[in-house]
């Protein structure tokens, strides 16, 4: 079943099946807005906040998503699978300063 | 053992790396069936041991179940127990705190000496590991064993690690462990990348200066040829493995490469070729304003993930 993913910071939306994660569905539909890193739950680059909607999650690196964040819907897009339409916003990432 | 080390301090080569797994089943399948490492053993703590087919020692890659991704430690094999004892003294003199791991803590491995480098990475030294051979006879050896899987990775080759005190780690590796600086990237007087070797290879470990301590950029596996990299690239697409970049060539080391990610988000590399280092070779230098070409020689620019996607 397809659900609509609304990226509130970009004012765009794209379809995503219940078996596909939010990051993969975005690139498959040719949209952009969530940065892609390892796409395997490890690096934390694709961190998002689910503002509204139902979803399930896969395993994410605990050093990138704390238990408190997970409870607050702050998650990695590569490990979120929609169960309804979702409203999603992007967070300021903890991107390290580039030393050179 | 009567190996002859190129390092004056007796460090022989990379010996093993322990990697954290968010999910063991997918990780074991990836390293066994995609990279083609041989599954060698497992232990009571849930760790699974692998080796590349062309390695003689029992294991070189250990996967540990964990709730975060990244590298636990990287180890170097040294030239015998006397050498290990001398290196312990030298590290202590240098002010490095040591931790002792008893023989058998990793199955088939002798005692290990563990320390943390100034960049925050944990390293180990050991002298002995059970040798199981590379699957072909030592007398009249054939080219390769039968029935290898996936990319048929030959060996664990090196790690690229990111951390803050690059100067401190490079000094430790050169002055205490006897590594040679083969290649580097410099921004004026500041060294931003150091490729260090104890062998004929362009790097046995490499470091890039970075704000955070103790980060893993990639674990690299050696392949026979450019053609074997293209075979690996086809397999990456066929099996929908998360791809990063390549096949392409690095300017640094001249090696050919593909970057991709394991199922816990740790970056892997398949690597072939690379320049030859001798102790009298000059240091190859890249200027930081040529970093794109230094890293990805054909694209001549970094992809957005190279400096920021780490575990």
């Amino acid at each position: 079943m397809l659900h609509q993913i609304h990226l509130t910071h970009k004012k765009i939306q794209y379809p995503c099946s219940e078996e596909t994660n939010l990051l993969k569905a975005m690139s498959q539909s040719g949209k952009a807005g969530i940065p892609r890193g390892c796409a395997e739950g490890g690096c934390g680059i694709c961190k998002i906040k689910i503002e509204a909607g139902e979803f399930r999650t896969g395993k994410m690196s605990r050093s990138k998503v704390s238990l408190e964040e997970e409870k607050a819907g702050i998650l990695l897009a590569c490990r979120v699978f929609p169960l309804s339409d979702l409203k999603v916003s992007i967070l300021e990432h903890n991107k390290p300063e580039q030393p050179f | 053992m009567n190996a002859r080390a190129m390092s004056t301090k007796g460090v022989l080569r990379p010996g093993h790396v322990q990697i954290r797994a968010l999910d063991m089943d997918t990780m074991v399948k990836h390293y066994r069936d995609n990279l083609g490492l041989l599954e060698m053993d497992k232990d009571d703590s849930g760790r699974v041991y692998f080796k590349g087919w062309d390695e003689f020692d029992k294991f070189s890659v250990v996967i540990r179940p964990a709730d975060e991704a990244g590298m636990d430690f990287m180890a170097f094999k040294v030239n015998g127990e006397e050498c290990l004892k001398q290196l312990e003294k030298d590290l202590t003199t240098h002010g490095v705190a040591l931790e002792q791991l008893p023989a058998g803590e990793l199955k088939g491995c002798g005692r290990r000496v563990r320390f943390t480098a100034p960049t925050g990475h944990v390293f180990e030294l050991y002298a002995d590991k059970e040798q199981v051979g590379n699957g072909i006879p030592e007398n009249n050896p054939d080219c390769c064993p039968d029935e290898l899987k996936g990319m048929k990775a030959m060996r664990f080759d090196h790690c690229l690690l990111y951390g803050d005190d690059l100067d401190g780690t490079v000094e430790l590796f050169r002055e205490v462990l006897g590594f040679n600086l083969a290649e580097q990237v410099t921004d004026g007087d500041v060294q931003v990348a150091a490729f260090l070797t104890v062998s004929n290879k362009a790097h046995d470990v490499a470091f890039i200066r970075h704000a955070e301590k103790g980060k893993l950029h990639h674990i690299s596996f050696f392949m026979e040829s450019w053609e074997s990299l293209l075979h690996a690239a086809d397999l990456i697409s066929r099996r929908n493995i998360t791809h990063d970049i390549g096949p392409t060539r690095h300017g640094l080391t001249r090696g050919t490469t593909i970057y991709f990610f394991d199922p816990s988000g740790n970056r892997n590399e398949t690597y072939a070729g690379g320049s030859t280092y001798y102790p009298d070779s000059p240091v190859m230098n890249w200027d930081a304003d040529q970093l794109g070409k230094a890293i990805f020689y054909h694209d001549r620019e970094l992809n957005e993930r190279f400096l920021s996607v780490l575990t």
Side-chain angles (χ1 to χ4, degrees), chain A residues 6-12 32-35 48 88-91:
Chain A
H6 302 260
L7 295 186
T8 56
H9 66 297
K10 287 277 187 182
K11 298 190 172 58
I12 58 171
I34 306 171
I48 54 167
V88 173
S89 61
I90 292 267
L91 296 179

Side-chain angles (χ1 to χ4, degrees), chain B residues 182-202:
Chain B
E183 308 205 8
Q184 64 178 354
V185 180
T186 52
D187 186 357
D189 294 335
V190 179
Q191 187 182 51
V192 296
F195 284 57
L196 300 166
T197 181
V198 281
S199 66
N200 246 174
K201 294 155 57 190

